[in-house]
Amino acid sequence: EVVMTQSPATLSVSPGERATLSCRASQSVSIDLAWYQHKPGQAPRLLIYNAATRATGIPARFSGSGSGTEFTLTISSLQSEDFAVYYCQHYNNWPPGTFGQGTKVEIK
Amino acid sequence: QVQLVESGGDLVKPGGSLRLSCAASGFTFSDCYLTWIRQAPGKGLEWISYISSTGSTIYYADSVKGRFTISRDNAKNSLYLQMNSLRAEDTAVYYCAIRSKNAGIFDYWGQGTLVTVSS
């Protein structure tokens, strides 16, 4: 099973600043990588798929990059509504696909 | 808009059973691939089951295989998860989600229902 490792576990950022989240796969997953945003008590939301393609309705301040084993989610200028937990997920040879443990983006 | 609403979560004793439901609206339910995903307290997300649009293809994670059964009723726009032989480690928030047609991506999710397995 491919293990997805996210870092850091918690990221403290001021509104308007840039946030960079990392996700590493234990073996290559090509570009079969998605990012989700999850706020407490709400449904998780698909942000990015195919490592770099924004899902429908996702603002341009969210961008994804990477391939193989190293991936990055960048939020260019954090808005108040962006404070949440972010998960990466690979879907190479799905199922099962696996999720990372998440990065919590909190207000500094 | 797309809505997925889970229900049926409860406190149940180890070895017990529970049936979760997911009511869908805002899209053509019978065209969609559906999944259940869970999140144990303080843990990450775990995909546990998938069913194709007609129900002809079903997958389970090893952690639930033989104990959980996924099903759907396209006439009622509903997805189900029958959970038997429940264990403490099944304690989690359970989400239903629509899986993308082309890949193991989860396009839309519900808000989840809490299952607690404890004596």
Short mmCIF file of all heavy atoms in Angstrom, two decimals, chain A residues 9-59:
data_model
loop_
_atom_site.label_atom_id
_atom_site.label_comp_id
_atom_site.label_asym_id
_atom_site.label_seq_id
_atom_site.Cartn_x
_atom_site.Cartn_y
_atom_site.Cartn_z
N ALA A 9 2.35 19.08 9.98
CA ALA A 9 1.07 18.68 10.54
C ALA A 9 0.19 19.90 10.77
O ALA A 9 -1.03 19.86 10.58
CB ALA A 9 1.27 17.91 11.84
N THR A 10 0.80 20.99 11.21
CA THR A 10 0.10 22.26 11.43
C THR A 10 0.91 23.38 10.82
O THR A 10 2.14 23.40 10.94
CB THR A 10 -0.11 22.53 12.93
OG1 THR A 10 -0.82 21.43 13.51
CG2 THR A 10 -0.91 23.80 13.15
N LEU A 11 0.22 24.29 10.15
CA LEU A 11 0.86 25.43 9.51
C LEU A 11 0.16 26.70 10.01
O LEU A 11 -1.06 26.83 9.84
CB LEU A 11 0.74 25.31 7.99
CG LEU A 11 1.48 26.32 7.12
CD1 LEU A 11 2.97 26.25 7.36
CD2 LEU A 11 1.15 26.05 5.65
N SER A 12 0.90 27.57 10.65
CA SER A 12 0.33 28.83 11.16
C SER A 12 0.67 29.94 10.17
O SER A 12 1.84 30.22 9.92
CB SER A 12 0.92 29.15 12.54
OG SER A 12 0.57 28.15 13.46
N VAL A 13 -0.37 30.57 9.66
CA VAL A 13 -0.20 31.57 8.60
C VAL A 13 -1.10 32.77 8.88
O VAL A 13 -2.23 32.60 9.37
CB VAL A 13 -0.57 30.97 7.22
CG1 VAL A 13 -0.25 31.94 6.11
CG2 VAL A 13 0.15 29.64 6.99
N SER A 14 -0.62 33.93 8.56
CA SER A 14 -1.43 35.14 8.69
C SER A 14 -2.28 35.33 7.45
O SER A 14 -1.86 34.97 6.34
CB SER A 14 -0.55 36.37 8.89
OG SER A 14 0.22 36.25 10.07
N PRO A 15 -3.49 35.88 7.59
CA PRO A 15 -4.32 36.17 6.41
C PRO A 15 -3.54 37.02 5.41
O PRO A 15 -2.81 37.95 5.79
CB PRO A 15 -5.50 36.93 7.00
CG PRO A 15 -5.61 36.43 8.40
CD PRO A 15 -4.19 36.21 8.85
N GLY A 16 -3.67 36.67 4.14
CA GLY A 16 -2.96 37.39 3.09
C GLY A 16 -1.61 36.79 2.75
O GLY A 16 -1.04 37.08 1.69
N GLU A 17 -1.09 35.93 3.62
CA GLU A 17 0.19 35.29 3.35
C GLU A 17 0.01 34.05 2.48
O GLU A 17 -1.09 33.55 2.29
CB GLU A 17 0.89 34.90 4.66
CG GLU A 17 1.44 36.08 5.44
CD GLU A 17 2.30 35.63 6.62
OE1 GLU A 17 2.17 34.47 7.05
OE2 GLU A 17 3.07 36.46 7.12
N ARG A 18 1.13 33.54 2.01
CA ARG A 18 1.16 32.34 1.18
C ARG A 18 1.33 31.12 2.06
O ARG A 18 2.08 31.14 3.03
CB ARG A 18 2.35 32.46 0.21
CG ARG A 18 2.55 31.35 -0.76
CD ARG A 18 3.88 31.60 -1.49
NE ARG A 18 4.02 30.85 -2.71
CZ ARG A 18 3.65 31.26 -3.90
NH1 ARG A 18 3.10 32.45 -4.04
NH2 ARG A 18 3.84 30.51 -4.97
N ALA A 19 0.62 30.04 1.72
CA ALA A 19 0.77 28.77 2.43
C ALA A 19 1.22 27.70 1.45
O ALA A 19 0.67 27.59 0.35
CB ALA A 19 -0.55 28.37 3.07
N THR A 20 2.21 26.93 1.88
CA THR A 20 2.72 25.84 1.04
C THR A 20 2.64 24.53 1.83
O THR A 20 3.26 24.40 2.88
CB THR A 20 4.17 26.11 0.61
OG1 THR A 20 4.23 27.36 -0.08
CG2 THR A 20 4.67 25.00 -0.30
N LEU A 21 1.86 23.59 1.31
CA LEU A 21 1.65 22.31 1.96
C LEU A 21 2.29 21.23 1.11
O LEU A 21 2.19 21.25 -0.12
CB LEU A 21 0.15 22.02 2.10
CG LEU A 21 -0.67 22.84 3.09
CD1 LEU A 21 -0.79 24.31 2.70
CD2 LEU A 21 -2.07 22.23 3.24
N SER A 22 2.90 20.25 1.78
CA SER A 22 3.60 19.19 1.07
C SER A 22 2.95 17.83 1.29
O SER A 22 2.37 17.57 2.35
CB SER A 22 5.06 19.13 1.52
OG SER A 22 5.74 20.30 1.16
N CYS A 23 3.09 16.99 0.29
CA CYS A 23 2.57 15.62 0.34
C CYS A 23 3.58 14.74 -0.37
O CYS A 23 3.97 15.02 -1.51
CB CYS A 23 1.21 15.57 -0.33
SG CYS A 23 0.48 13.92 -0.46
N ARG A 24 4.00 13.68 0.30
CA ARG A 24 4.97 12.75 -0.28
C ARG A 24 4.39 11.35 -0.32
O ARG A 24 3.80 10.89 0.66
CB ARG A 24 6.25 12.77 0.56
CG ARG A 24 7.29 11.74 0.13
CD ARG A 24 8.56 11.87 0.95
NE ARG A 24 9.26 13.13 0.66
CZ ARG A 24 10.37 13.51 1.27
NH1 ARG A 24 10.90 12.77 2.21
NH2 ARG A 24 10.95 14.65 0.95
N ALA A 25 4.56 10.68 -1.45
CA ALA A 25 4.12 9.30 -1.61
C ALA A 25 5.28 8.35 -1.42
O ALA A 25 6.41 8.66 -1.82
CB ALA A 25 3.50 9.10 -2.99
N SER A 26 5.03 7.18 -0.85
CA SER A 26 6.10 6.22 -0.59
C SER A 26 6.60 5.54 -1.86
O SER A 26 7.67 4.94 -1.86
CB SER A 26 5.62 5.16 0.41
OG SER A 26 4.49 4.47 -0.11
N GLN A 27 5.84 5.64 -2.94
CA GLN A 27 6.28 5.22 -4.27
C GLN A 27 5.55 6.08 -5.29
O GLN A 27 4.58 6.75 -4.94
CB GLN A 27 6.01 3.74 -4.50
CG GLN A 27 4.55 3.34 -4.49
CD GLN A 27 4.36 1.83 -4.45
OE1 GLN A 27 4.67 1.18 -3.47
NE2 GLN A 27 3.83 1.30 -5.53
N SER A 28 6.02 6.04 -6.52
CA SER A 28 5.45 6.93 -7.52
C SER A 28 3.96 6.68 -7.74
O SER A 28 3.52 5.53 -7.86
CB SER A 28 6.18 6.76 -8.86
OG SER A 28 5.56 7.59 -9.84
N VAL A 29 3.19 7.77 -7.79
CA VAL A 29 1.76 7.70 -8.11
C VAL A 29 1.47 8.50 -9.37
O VAL A 29 0.31 8.88 -9.62
CB VAL A 29 0.89 8.18 -6.93
CG1 VAL A 29 1.07 7.26 -5.72
CG2 VAL A 29 1.18 9.62 -6.56
N SER A 30 2.53 8.80 -10.15
CA SER A 30 2.38 9.61 -11.37
C SER A 30 1.77 10.97 -11.00
O SER A 30 2.27 11.62 -10.09
CB SER A 30 1.53 8.84 -12.39
OG SER A 30 1.47 9.55 -13.60
N ILE A 31 0.70 11.36 -11.67
CA ILE A 31 0.02 12.60 -11.28
C ILE A 31 -1.37 12.29 -10.70
O ILE A 31 -2.25 13.15 -10.66
CB ILE A 31 -0.11 13.60 -12.46
CG1 ILE A 31 -0.89 12.97 -13.62
CG2 ILE A 31 1.27 14.08 -12.91
CD1 ILE A 31 -1.32 13.99 -14.67
N ASP A 32 -1.54 11.05 -10.23
CA ASP A 32 -2.84 10.63 -9.69
C ASP A 32 -2.99 11.09 -8.24
O ASP A 32 -3.04 10.28 -7.31
CB ASP A 32 -2.98 9.11 -9.80
CG ASP A 32 -2.94 8.63 -11.23
OD1 ASP A 32 -3.25 9.44 -12.15
OD2 ASP A 32 -2.59 7.45 -11.46
N LEU A 33 -3.09 12.40 -8.08
CA LEU A 33 -3.05 12.99 -6.76
C LEU A 33 -4.12 14.08 -6.66
O LEU A 33 -4.23 14.93 -7.55
CB LEU A 33 -1.66 13.58 -6.50
CG LEU A 33 -1.22 14.03 -5.09
CD1 LEU A 33 -1.85 15.34 -4.67
CD2 LEU A 33 -1.48 12.96 -4.04
N ALA A 34 -4.90 14.02 -5.58
CA ALA A 34 -5.95 15.01 -5.34
C ALA A 34 -5.72 15.68 -3.99
O ALA A 34 -5.08 15.12 -3.10
CB ALA A 34 -7.32 14.35 -5.37
N TRP A 35 -6.26 16.88 -3.86
CA TRP A 35 -6.25 17.62 -2.59
C TRP A 35 -7.69 17.96 -2.21
O TRP A 35 -8.50 18.34 -3.07
CB TRP A 35 -5.46 18.92 -2.74
CG TRP A 35 -3.98 18.77 -2.90
CD1 TRP A 35 -3.29 18.70 -4.07
CD2 TRP A 35 -3.01 18.70 -1.86
NE1 TRP A 35 -1.94 18.58 -3.82
CE2 TRP A 35 -1.75 18.59 -2.47
CE3 TRP A 35 -3.08 18.74 -0.46
CZ2 TRP A 35 -0.56 18.50 -1.73
CZ3 TRP A 35 -1.91 18.65 0.27
CH2 TRP A 35 -0.66 18.54 -0.36
N TYR A 36 -7.98 17.85 -0.92
CA TYR A 36 -9.30 18.17 -0.39
C TYR A 36 -9.15 19.15 0.77
O TYR A 36 -8.17 19.11 1.52
CB TYR A 36 -10.00 16.91 0.14
CG TYR A 36 -10.20 15.84 -0.90
CD1 TYR A 36 -9.21 14.90 -1.14
CD2 TYR A 36 -11.38 15.76 -1.64
CE1 TYR A 36 -9.37 13.92 -2.10
CE2 TYR A 36 -11.55 14.77 -2.59
CZ TYR A 36 -10.54 13.86 -2.82
OH TYR A 36 -10.71 12.89 -3.77
N GLN A 37 -10.17 19.98 0.94
CA GLN A 37 -10.27 20.89 2.07
C GLN A 37 -11.38 20.39 2.98
O GLN A 37 -12.47 20.03 2.50
CB GLN A 37 -10.61 22.29 1.57
CG GLN A 37 -10.80 23.34 2.63
CD GLN A 37 -11.42 24.61 2.06
OE1 GLN A 37 -12.56 24.62 1.62
NE2 GLN A 37 -10.64 25.68 2.05
N HIS A 38 -11.14 20.42 4.29
CA HIS A 38 -12.16 19.94 5.23
C HIS A 38 -12.26 20.89 6.40
O HIS A 38 -11.27 21.10 7.12
CB HIS A 38 -11.83 18.53 5.72
CG HIS A 38 -12.94 17.88 6.46
ND1 HIS A 38 -12.77 16.76 7.24
CD2 HIS A 38 -14.27 18.16 6.52
CE1 HIS A 38 -13.93 16.41 7.76
NE2 HIS A 38 -14.85 17.24 7.32
N LYS A 39 -13.44 21.44 6.58
CA LYS A 39 -13.72 22.29 7.73
C LYS A 39 -14.58 21.53 8.72
O LYS A 39 -15.40 20.70 8.31
CB LYS A 39 -14.43 23.56 7.29
CG LYS A 39 -13.62 24.42 6.34
CD LYS A 39 -14.38 25.65 5.89
CE LYS A 39 -13.61 26.44 4.87
NZ LYS A 39 -14.36 27.62 4.40
N PRO A 40 -14.42 21.78 10.02
CA PRO A 40 -15.17 21.03 11.04
C PRO A 40 -16.68 21.08 10.79
O PRO A 40 -17.24 22.16 10.53
CB PRO A 40 -14.80 21.75 12.34
CG PRO A 40 -13.49 22.39 12.07
CD PRO A 40 -13.52 22.78 10.62
N GLY A 41 -17.30 19.91 10.83
CA GLY A 41 -18.75 19.83 10.68
C GLY A 41 -19.26 20.00 9.26
O GLY A 41 -20.47 19.99 9.04
N GLN A 42 -18.34 20.15 8.32
CA GLN A 42 -18.75 20.33 6.93
C GLN A 42 -18.30 19.15 6.08
O GLN A 42 -17.48 18.33 6.49
CB GLN A 42 -18.16 21.62 6.36
CG GLN A 42 -18.67 22.88 7.03
CD GLN A 42 -18.22 24.13 6.29
OE1 GLN A 42 -17.84 24.08 5.12
NE2 GLN A 42 -18.28 25.26 6.98
N ALA A 43 -18.85 19.08 4.89
CA ALA A 43 -18.42 18.06 3.94
C ALA A 43 -17.05 18.42 3.38
O ALA A 43 -16.80 19.58 3.06
CB ALA A 43 -19.43 17.97 2.80
N PRO A 44 -16.15 17.45 3.28
CA PRO A 44 -14.90 17.72 2.58
C PRO A 44 -15.17 18.19 1.16
O PRO A 44 -16.20 17.86 0.56
CB PRO A 44 -14.20 16.35 2.60
CG PRO A 44 -14.76 15.66 3.80
CD PRO A 44 -16.20 16.09 3.84
N ARG A 45 -14.23 18.97 0.62
CA ARG A 45 -14.40 19.60 -0.69
C ARG A 45 -13.20 19.30 -1.56
O ARG A 45 -12.05 19.50 -1.13
CB ARG A 45 -14.54 21.10 -0.47
CG ARG A 45 -14.67 21.98 -1.68
CD ARG A 45 -14.55 23.43 -1.21
NE ARG A 45 -14.70 24.41 -2.25
CZ ARG A 45 -14.34 25.69 -2.12
NH1 ARG A 45 -13.81 26.11 -0.99
NH2 ARG A 45 -14.53 26.53 -3.10
N LEU A 46 -13.44 18.81 -2.77
CA LEU A 46 -12.36 18.55 -3.72
C LEU A 46 -11.81 19.88 -4.24
O LEU A 46 -12.56 20.71 -4.74
CB LEU A 46 -12.88 17.70 -4.88
CG LEU A 46 -11.91 17.45 -6.04
CD1 LEU A 46 -10.73 16.59 -5.58
CD2 LEU A 46 -12.64 16.80 -7.22
N LEU A 47 -10.49 20.05 -4.12
CA LEU A 47 -9.84 21.27 -4.61
C LEU A 47 -9.11 21.04 -5.94
O LEU A 47 -9.24 21.80 -6.88
CB LEU A 47 -8.82 21.77 -3.58
CG LEU A 47 -9.30 22.17 -2.20
CD1 LEU A 47 -8.10 22.52 -1.33
CD2 LEU A 47 -10.26 23.34 -2.29
N ILE A 48 -8.27 20.02 -5.94
CA ILE A 48 -7.31 19.77 -7.02
C ILE A 48 -7.34 18.29 -7.37
O ILE A 48 -7.43 17.44 -6.46
CB ILE A 48 -5.88 20.14 -6.58
CG1 ILE A 48 -5.78 21.62 -6.18
CG2 ILE A 48 -4.85 19.78 -7.66
CD1 ILE A 48 -5.73 22.60 -7.31
N TYR A 49 -7.24 17.95 -8.65
CA TYR A 49 -7.05 16.57 -9.06
C TYR A 49 -6.02 16.54 -10.19
O TYR A 49 -5.64 17.60 -10.72
CB TYR A 49 -8.37 15.91 -9.48
CG TYR A 49 -9.04 16.55 -10.67
CD1 TYR A 49 -8.84 16.05 -11.95
CD2 TYR A 49 -9.88 17.65 -10.51
CE1 TYR A 49 -9.46 16.63 -13.04
CE2 TYR A 49 -10.49 18.24 -11.59
CZ TYR A 49 -10.29 17.72 -12.86
OH TYR A 49 -10.90 18.30 -13.94
N ASN A 50 -5.56 15.35 -10.52
CA ASN A 50 -4.46 15.21 -11.48
C ASN A 50 -3.29 16.13 -11.11
O ASN A 50 -2.63 16.70 -11.98
CB ASN A 50 -4.92 15.48 -12.91
CG ASN A 50 -5.84 14.42 -13.45
OD1 ASN A 50 -5.99 13.35 -12.84
ND2 ASN A 50 -6.47 14.66 -14.57
N ALA A 51 -3.07 16.24 -9.84
CA ALA A 51 -1.96 16.98 -9.22
C ALA A 51 -2.05 18.49 -9.38
O ALA A 51 -1.58 19.23 -8.50
CB ALA A 51 -0.60 16.49 -9.74
N ALA A 52 -2.64 18.97 -10.49
CA ALA A 52 -2.56 20.40 -10.76
C ALA A 52 -3.82 21.00 -11.35
O ALA A 52 -3.84 22.21 -11.63
CB ALA A 52 -1.39 20.68 -11.70
N THR A 53 -4.88 20.22 -11.54
CA THR A 53 -6.11 20.72 -12.14
C THR A 53 -7.10 21.14 -11.05
O THR A 53 -7.46 20.32 -10.20
CB THR A 53 -6.75 19.65 -13.03
OG1 THR A 53 -5.82 19.24 -14.03
CG2 THR A 53 -8.01 20.19 -13.69
N ARG A 54 -7.50 22.39 -11.09
CA ARG A 54 -8.49 22.85 -10.10
C ARG A 54 -9.86 22.27 -10.41
O ARG A 54 -10.29 22.24 -11.58
CB ARG A 54 -8.58 24.38 -10.09
CG ARG A 54 -7.54 25.07 -9.22
CD ARG A 54 -7.84 26.55 -9.08
NE ARG A 54 -7.85 27.22 -10.37
CZ ARG A 54 -6.75 27.64 -10.98
NH1 ARG A 54 -5.58 27.47 -10.41
NH2 ARG A 54 -6.84 28.25 -12.15
N ALA A 55 -10.55 21.85 -9.36
CA ALA A 55 -11.92 21.36 -9.52
C ALA A 55 -12.85 22.54 -9.83
O ALA A 55 -12.48 23.70 -9.65
CB ALA A 55 -12.37 20.64 -8.26
N THR A 56 -14.04 22.22 -10.27
CA THR A 56 -15.02 23.24 -10.63
C THR A 56 -15.29 24.20 -9.48
O THR A 56 -15.56 23.76 -8.35
CB THR A 56 -16.34 22.57 -11.05
OG1 THR A 56 -16.10 21.68 -12.12
CG2 THR A 56 -17.36 23.63 -11.49
N GLY A 57 -15.18 25.50 -9.76
CA GLY A 57 -15.52 26.51 -8.77
C GLY A 57 -14.44 26.83 -7.76
O GLY A 57 -14.65 27.65 -6.86
N ILE A 58 -13.28 26.20 -7.88
CA ILE A 58 -12.19 26.45 -6.93
C ILE A 58 -11.43 27.72 -7.34
O ILE A 58 -11.00 27.83 -8.49
CB ILE A 58 -11.25 25.24 -6.83
CG1 ILE A 58 -12.02 24.00 -6.40
CG2 ILE A 58 -10.08 25.54 -5.89
CD1 ILE A 58 -12.76 24.14 -5.09
N PRO A 59 -11.22 28.64 -6.41
CA PRO A 59 -10.55 29.90 -6.75
C PRO A 59 -9.11 29.69 -7.23
O PRO A 59 -8.44 28.73 -6.82
CB PRO A 59 -10.56 30.68 -5.43
CG PRO A 59 -11.63 30.06 -4.60
CD PRO A 59 -11.69 28.63 -5.00
#
